[in-house]
Amino acid sequence: MKPARAIDWSETADSESDIAERCASGDAQACQDVVDTHQRMVYHLALQLLSNHDDALDLSQDVFLTVFRSIHRFRGDSALQTWIYRIVINHARNRQRWWRRRRRADQVSLDALIEERGELPAPLGPTSPDRALDQKQLGERVWRALNRLPFDQRSAVVLRELHGMRYAEIAFSLGVSNAAVKSRLARARHTLRTELQPQ
Amino acid sequence: MTPLTSPGCRTVRTWLTAAHDDELSVRRHVLLDVHLASCASCRGVRDDLTSLGTALRQGAAQHRPDDVAFARLAPEVMARKAMEPDTRWRHRVQDVIDDRQRLWMIGGTLAATLAGALVWAAFVGLAAPTHPGSLAGLLRTSTALGSNANPLWLVAGVTLPRVAADTRAKAMLIQPLRPLGIPNLALTAVVTREGQLASVHVIHDGVPDAALTRAVSRLASDVRFEPARARGAPVAVNVVWLLERTTVAATPIPDLAHPVGGD
């Protein structure tokens, strides 16, 4: 997946403010435009954070309804996309907590994945892992390791590596400081590398 | 301008992540590239970072969205939006006005709230010890000597109540106009702080006489007194008058203030 172009906050276009304003005033076409423009991003991010198609679809719908309800509060402090990212993250985090309260631990989805896709391949070698294993298998292992990360670390890695967001944008989306973003990325990468080492 | 000095491996390692995330300054990038060209160890760390990012994207690519489900997203979102009530205040108010039943409910709720507030305020007001209707106020009034509920006896220091000048003529109706030969009549009453007769009883030979009491009470209701005073303040007092050989007028008496045939 090609990372999305990083969005500079100063690039927030007038047209974006205009469409947000029209959407806030109940213009159905403007709302449709918001969905059309951002639905792929929202659905991808939801899927990457939840690892479940149905949950991702459901969450995407909830996200857009939240966007419509609260778009009158969008002040253009960030790009509309970054603002929507933040809503996705909050929804996904709440859903994670909801599942956790119902004792649906992350390991359950992992087991389901193993059942669906078979057992793990042999562990990676200590050096040059991409040369040691097929890229597809490696990707599968990293993906599973990603799912085991704490939500805050996982969301930081997903936003950086898969969505190409800058630290400042990630910080806005997660509601934390730049330093916290760097820290979470460092810990997440360390954990992922450790997961890929041979047992 | 600061000269470009080659950084050590420790410094470079801290830059590698920032470089990987496109967050490193150009100057440091130049220094980093120079270092990496000559340091296999640091290149290995950079390659690990790169391969990790590649693997993540590879893994994400394997979990592509369900195109069929994705195609439903926009229509379902718009359908759910259409079903949602308009939350803007203007529309909410219009909805309420259109819905008479809700309007009645709101009106009823407001009325009930207002009534509750009034009851509460009255309760709080009555409960205040300073209020004469409160329990404390009632107790205070009833136990105060000289009150209407607890009249004094005529003792030293209490001035006698006197019939007010303007009702003296009416008081004269209770007088021995025609001796009836009824001995041992006594009138007991309370002259209140306001100067009225209350609790009137006529005792005949030691027994209350209801008929006489009613007749006297009717006449007495028109009589005003200057109330008795104790320490200068008006007080209610018990009085007993002996009305020996008294006649009670049972028929209307000509108005003495406008005597018939007077000039």
Side-chain angles (χ1 to χ4, degrees):
Chain A
M1 185 184 294
K2 186 181 177 184
R5 184 181 67 87
I7 303 157
D8 191 336
W9 290 3
S10 63
E11 289 177 12
T12 305
D14 288 342
S15 61
E16 203 167 66
S17 299
D18 177 57
I19 203 169
E21 203 170 301
R22 285 194 293 123
C23 187
S25 66
D27 184 337
Q29 185 55 50
C31 294
Q32 180 74 56
D33 289 347
V34 170
V35 177
D36 290 344
T37 308
H38 300 287
Q39 61 177 343
R40 189 163 292 278
M41 173 275 287
V42 168
Y43 184 48
H44 276 227
L45 180 56
L47 182 61
Q48 287 152 3
L49 293 175
L50 300 176
S51 301
N52 181 289
H53 286 284
D54 292 334
D55 281 350
L57 199 64
D58 195 38
L59 183 132
S60 301
Q61 291 187 18
D62 290 344
V63 164
F64 280 114
L65 290 174
T66 303
V67 167
F68 297 149
R69 285 183 207 129
S70 54
I71 201 165
H72 61 278
R73 292 202 292 266
F74 175 67
R75 296 277 176 260
D77 298 334
S78 66
L80 181 60
Q81 180 168 334
T82 311
W83 186 73
I84 295 176
Y85 267 115
R86 186 174 184 149
I87 294 175
V88 178
I89 295 287
N90 286 337
H91 270 268
R93 184 186 288 120
N94 291 341
R95 195 166 286 234
Q96 287 272 322
R97 287 175 183 157
W98 189 84
W99 278 116
R100 201 175 300 139
R101 280 202 295 272
R102 278 153 184 76
R103 299 175 184 280
R104 177 174 159 172
D106 292 343
Q107 284 80 358
V108 174
S109 65
L110 178 64
D111 291 342
L113 210 62
I114 291 174
E115 194 176 319
E116 181 186 330
R117 298 176 184 277
E119 262 304 327
L120 288 176
L124 297 170
T127 59
S128 302
D130 53 341
R131 292 175 195 168
L133 280 176
D134 177 70
Q135 276 289 337
K136 186 175 179 181
Q137 291 174 328
L138 180 63
E140 188 62 43
R141 288 196 63 199
V142 174
W143 184 257
R144 293 172 58 187
L146 182 69
N147 281 332
R148 286 198 293 272
L149 286 178
F151 182 82
D152 288 336
Q153 292 182 27
R154 188 187 339 156
S155 51
V157 168
V158 166
L159 291 176
R160 174 57 223 149
E161 293 286 2
L162 305 182
H163 291 257
M165 291 175 76
R166 302 191 69 82
Y167 289 164
E169 293 170 318
I170 299 172
F172 179 82
S173 298
L174 300 181
V176 297
S177 65
N178 276 17
V181 171
K182 288 181 196 171
S183 165
R184 287 177 186 183
L185 279 172
R187 276 185 282 144
R189 282 168 171 152
H190 177 76
T191 307
L192 289 173
R193 277 200 297 269
T194 307
E195 293 269 349
L196 297 176
Q197 295 300 315
Q199 303 298 315
Chain B
M1 188 175 188
T2 313
L4 294 176
T5 53
S6 181
C9 283
R10 179 178 288 187
T11 306
V12 164
R13 298 282 167 92
T14 63
W15 291 355
L16 280 172
T17 306
H20 176 75
D21 293 336
D22 290 332
E23 300 274 353
L24 196 65
S25 67
V26 175
R27 183 174 178 276
R28 286 185 175 180
H29 232 304
V30 171
L31 292 171
L32 179 67
D33 287 342
V34 170
H35 179 91
L36 289 177
S38 61
C39 180
S41 174
C42 289
R43 277 203 306 275
V45 175
R46 181 200 59 186
D47 291 345
D48 272 356
L49 271 173
T50 306
S51 59
L52 185 62
T54 306
L56 277 166
R57 285 187 284 280
Q58 182 73 31
Q62 290 167 27
H63 293 266
R64 299 190 64 78
D66 178 352
D67 288 336
V68 177
F70 180 71
R72 294 200 317 266
L73 177 58
E76 286 182 6
V77 167
M78 296 312 291
R80 282 181 65 181
K81 182 184 183 311
M83 284 191 295
E84 281 209 330
D86 197 330
T87 54
R88 280 171 294 164
W89 276 108
R90 186 161 54 86
H91 289 88
R92 283 187 185 179
V93 171
Q94 189 62 49
D95 285 348
V96 168
I97 291 170
D98 291 344
D99 186 349
R100 293 293 170 88
Q101 192 177 356
R102 203 185 296 177
L103 207 59
W104 278 112
M105 282 171 60
I106 291 173
T109 306
L110 282 174
T113 305
L114 194 62
L118 284 173
V119 167
W120 179 78
F123 180 77
V124 168
L126 279 175
T130 53
H131 193 281
S134 68
L135 184 60
L138 289 173
L139 286 172
R140 193 171 49 245
T141 305
S142 62
T143 55
L145 280 174
S147 66
N148 292 344
N150 191 16
L152 291 172
W153 290 100
L154 289 171
V155 293
V158 179
T159 62
L160 289 174
R162 296 179 183 283
V163 177
D166 57 338
T167 61
R168 191 163 295 157
K170 292 181 179 177
M172 292 298 287
L173 298 177
I174 313 172
Q175 61 182 316
L177 293 175
R178 290 197 301 264
L180 295 175
I182 304 174
N184 301 324
L185 274 180
L187 174 69
T188 67
V190 172
V191 179
T192 66
R193 284 174 167 175
E194 294 77 26
Q196 291 178 311
L197 276 181
S199 305
V200 176
H201 294 286
V202 177
I203 313 293
H204 178 209
D205 282 340
V207 179
D209 187 320
L212 280 173
T213 296
R214 278 196 298 276
V216 170
S217 293
R218 262 199 313 276
L219 293 168
S221 64
D222 291 334
V223 179
R224 292 287 179 275
F225 286 78
E226 288 174 9
R229 290 183 176 275
R231 296 180 184 173
V235 290
V237 289
N238 293 305
V239 291
V240 177
W241 282 290
L242 295 176
L243 303 173
E244 195 171 356
R245 300 172 66 81
T246 295
T247 295
V248 175
T251 55
I253 302 297
D255 190 349
L256 296 181
H258 301 90
V260 177
D263 292 329

